[in-house]
Amino acid sequence: MNPFYNPKFLLNVLKTYLFDINRLKRLNNKELRRFQDKRLKKIVHFAYTVPLYHDKYKKSGVHPSDVDGIRDITKLPVISKDDIKKYYPDGIISSKSNRKHLVEVSTSGTTGKTLPIFVDMFDIVMGLFGYLRTIKEYDMNWRKTRMTIIGDFAPHTAESGYIRRGLQPRLNVNVLFKNMQWLNTNDEPQKLIEEINHFKPEFIGGYVGMLGHLALLKEKGLGKDIAPKYIAATGSVLDKSLKEFIEITFGAHLFEVYGATETGPIAFECKQGSYHIMSDLLYLEFLKNNKPVASKEAGKLIVTKLYGGGTPIIRYDAINDIVAPLYGKCTCHLSGNLIDKIYGRDDLSVILPGGRVLLPSSFSEIYSKILYGLKTTKVKDTRVIQHSLTNIEIQVVIDKQLRNKGPPVERILSVIQNGLQEKVGSNVTVTVKEVKKVNEKGPRIVSKVDKNNFEIHQYV
Ligand SMILES: [Zn+2]
């Protein structure tokens, strides 16, 4: 049966909308913690009906009754990508779940690996509510504000799973959301900017790379009628200068939204510019060498999702993001915890002599410079190969059609070379060279250095 015809499901959705969306405003931190405790207990009990968690917990000698709240969370073992792969498909869903109501989604393959998990319709609705909450924070109305959403609608992605395979077959999305324009980030930027120009949205949500691309096209005179009030950026680390470039070009305020396929929305930037964790939906831990980090110190993100009837995500150690928490308060009075900075994917990082780790945020800083500084999008693709601790090679693919337009290729290569050399220091050799193509499905950062037994001292 279509869950949207099910009165119990609809009631849940309605309750969620009225209640959940404002929860971070309604509850103070003490009440929020009680709420998290209750939710964690429930989800751990549910996870015990999922073979993967059942086996893991048995093996570690922990039972759901040992977990009375967040303070007990570290009693539970962490879950890796390999655990999920090993138990996929039947072992990652509950014997209590109806398989027909679940939708399979996969994580994107930036490292060349995808991971399938299951979500149910409630996961999907909650995921969307997370974004609606963000939109509401900026005084926009999801039923009235004209919004352009540029999602990744490739067949396997979470967005396709949520919208194309989750909501669209069950709801008349085009009638319900007629104020929304859905675009695919895999389409050509030139095509997208024309469609957006025609739609004239008040809000644009999209991935960092595409937004940068669109800003450059707008600066060159396209999309004259595009004048959104707000832009939301997601997907990768946004460099400060690139953010400014997009804001100035569109005359809009840009805020960041942080999420992952396995978890749904994780955090969002409020009007004051603080990064608020959706603490009623998730509980986050930040670990370095397996110990919690201090405020503003970068650590590996471990996520627990506090809702859902698909694959439970409890102490999940495979988002692979390096994130620094901020133990402080924002003046906007939303309850829950804060994030100081998102540094990007750990598995896309390069390790350096002296326990230093070069994170994707550094690469995006360098690549952004080409976009907002040299005003060109002719770098089509790049790949980083780490041959040894002191030898890094960067391969750059140049767009054939743009080759002879704008700044010369040598200049682009030297911006990358100098930018990276500055980051890694003079004891590391950096080579930048142009190649015809890189394997599009393969990983973008390849390291031949053994990362085991590598002790992290500093992220750069
Ligand atoms: Zn705030």
Side-chain angles (χ1 to χ4, degrees):
M1 189 170 85
N2 181 338
F4 283 95
Y5 297 145
N6 176 344
K8 198 176 150 227
F9 180 79
L10 271 181
L11 199 70
N12 253 331
V13 167
L14 194 70
K15 209 178 86 195
T16 298
Y17 183 68
L18 296 173
F19 240 72
D20 297 6
I21 208 151
N22 288 324
R23 195 183 286 114
L24 293 180
K25 280 203 173 113
R26 199 158 37 86
L27 302 184
N28 62 33
N29 276 328
K30 215 170 147 194
E31 291 163 335
L32 181 67
R33 175 48 67 96
R34 264 207 300 272
F35 176 82
Q36 289 179 322
D37 287 344
K38 221 168 75 192
R39 279 287 167 103
L40 179 69
K41 276 200 276 187
K42 213 172 146 190
I43 203 84
V44 170
H45 272 101
F46 173 66
Y48 211 57
T49 66
V50 176
L52 156 65
Y53 285 93
H54 190 93
D55 292 359
K56 272 268 191 183
Y57 291 176
K58 275 243 147 130
K59 217 171 152 192
S60 316
V62 58
H63 186 267
S65 58
D66 299 329
V67 178
D68 198 37
I70 296 290
R71 88 184 85 87
D72 297 323
I73 200 167
T74 51
K75 289 181 184 170
L76 301 168
V78 293
I79 300 296
S80 71
K81 222 164 231 183
D82 287 338
D83 289 328
I84 291 193
K85 274 190 191 144
K86 199 172 133 198
Y87 282 84
Y88 170 85
D90 296 327
I92 61 168
I93 49 180
S94 167
S95 50
K96 288 182 175 170
S97 301
N98 183 343
R99 186 75 176 264
K100 270 195 279 183
H101 290 171
L102 301 179
V103 176
E104 187 177 327
V105 297
S106 314
T107 57
S108 63
T110 36
T111 48
K113 293 174 224 152
T114 60
L115 180 77
I117 58 152
F118 292 95
V119 294
D120 70 354
M121 282 314 292
F122 198 66
D123 278 303
I124 292 177
V125 170
M126 287 303 281
L128 292 176
F129 280 169
Y131 289 108
L132 292 182
R133 167 186 285 171
T134 310
I135 284 173
K136 208 164 172 243
E137 226 16 70
Y138 285 86
D139 308 317
M140 288 183 275
N141 181 331
W142 65 280
R143 310 228 28 195
K144 290 189 184 134
T145 307
R146 290 181 73 76
M147 299 195 260
T148 295
I149 315 287
I150 313 170
D152 185 354
F153 292 113
H156 71 275
T157 63
E159 281 113 312
S160 291
Y162 276 36
I163 306 294
R164 300 254 199 269
R165 282 179 283 130
L167 287 182
Q168 275 177 354
R170 294 170 174 92
L171 278 176
N172 196 337
V173 172
N174 292 336
V175 172
L176 188 64
F177 304 117
K178 59 178 180 290
N179 55 317
M180 292 191 195
Q181 180 186 42
W182 304 88
L183 300 175
N184 190 341
T185 198
N186 303 304
D187 286 344
E188 283 300 312
Q190 280 83 351
K191 181 183 167 224
L192 292 190
I193 202 158
E194 273 171 39
E195 290 187 37
I196 301 169
N197 197 47
H198 188 71
F199 188 72
K200 300 183 188 62
E202 299 158 86
F203 166 83
I204 302 174
Y207 288 91
V208 169
M210 178 52 82
L211 292 171
H213 220 122
L214 293 174
L216 202 60
L217 291 176
K218 180 154 172 77
E219 207 200 39
K220 288 181 174 162
L222 282 90
K224 280 201 169 59
D225 297 328
I226 305 176
K229 200 170 166 201
Y230 293 111
I231 295 175
T234 186
S236 53
V237 185
L238 179 59
D239 171 68
K240 229 180 180 173
S241 313
L242 181 60
K243 178 182 174 174
E244 262 173 42
F245 173 64
I246 298 171
E247 283 191 316
I248 291 169
T249 313
F250 283 102
H253 175 94
L254 186 151
F255 60 89
E256 289 178 68
V257 183
Y258 175 46
T261 301
E262 300 95 312
T263 60
I266 296 177
F268 66 101
E269 230 182 327
C270 76
K271 274 183 174 168
Q272 266 78 24
S274 304
Y275 239 128
H276 289 267
I277 299 166
M278 306 252 181
S279 296
D280 56 336
L281 306 183
L282 307 151
Y283 181 76
L284 306 187
E285 297 167 76
F286 310 86
L287 306 180
K288 189 168 122 185
N289 301 323
N290 290 322
K291 287 193 192 82
V293 297
S295 187
K296 294 189 177 188
E297 191 190 347
K300 192 169 193 197
L301 186 67
I302 309 285
V303 183
T304 298
K305 191 172 129 193
L306 299 169
Y307 63 97
T311 306
I313 298 292
I314 301 172
R315 298 207 83 209
Y316 181 65
D317 173 17
I319 304 285
N320 284 321
D321 268 345
I322 299 298
V323 180
L326 177 66
Y327 302 133
K329 269 189 120 178
C330 176
T331 50
C332 79
H333 302 303
L334 286 171
S335 59
N337 299 321
L338 301 173
I339 282 174
D340 178 54
K341 192 177 167 180
I342 297 158
Y343 291 85
R345 303 275 301 243
D346 181 36
D347 50 354
L348 294 180
S349 62
V350 169
I351 59 175
L352 299 171
R356 292 183 305 144
V357 179
L358 182 72
L359 290 168
S361 49
S362 290
F363 286 106
S364 66
E365 226 177 275
I366 298 164
Y367 297 147
S368 299
K369 250 184 225 167
I370 300 168
L371 192 76
Y372 69 80
L374 298 181
K375 312 269 186 213
T376 177
T377 54
K378 70 170 133 186
V379 174
K380 213 174 159 196
D381 215 332
T382 63
R383 192 159 86 128
V384 179
I385 301 169
Q386 174 164 43
H387 293 288
S388 73
L389 216 49
T390 53
N391 187 350
I392 299 171
E393 176 188 334
I394 299 194
Q395 301 179 335
V396 181
V397 182
I398 299 289
D399 192 316
K400 275 192 202 108
Q401 277 148 7
L402 297 174
R403 176 165 207 98
N404 297 317
K405 290 181 190 159
V409 173
E410 296 72 52
R411 180 130 178 252
I412 293 171
L413 301 187
S414 86
V415 166
I416 298 175
Q417 162 93 40
N418 295 340
L420 191 62
Q421 196 73 65
E422 207 177 286
K423 294 270 173 200
V424 299
S426 55
N427 55 349
V428 178
T429 311
V430 176
T431 334
V432 182
K433 60 177 169 197
E434 189 188 344
V435 293
K436 286 230 163 57
K437 63 174 190 180
V438 297
N439 180 1
E440 273 174 32
K441 290 206 175 79
R444 291 302 188 274
I445 297 192
V446 183
S447 184
K448 295 176 184 167
V449 179
D450 182 12
K451 285 190 187 184
N452 292 319
N453 305 322
F454 178 81
E455 199 165 326
I456 301 162
H457 293 298
Q458 194 196 354
Y459 289 107
V460 289

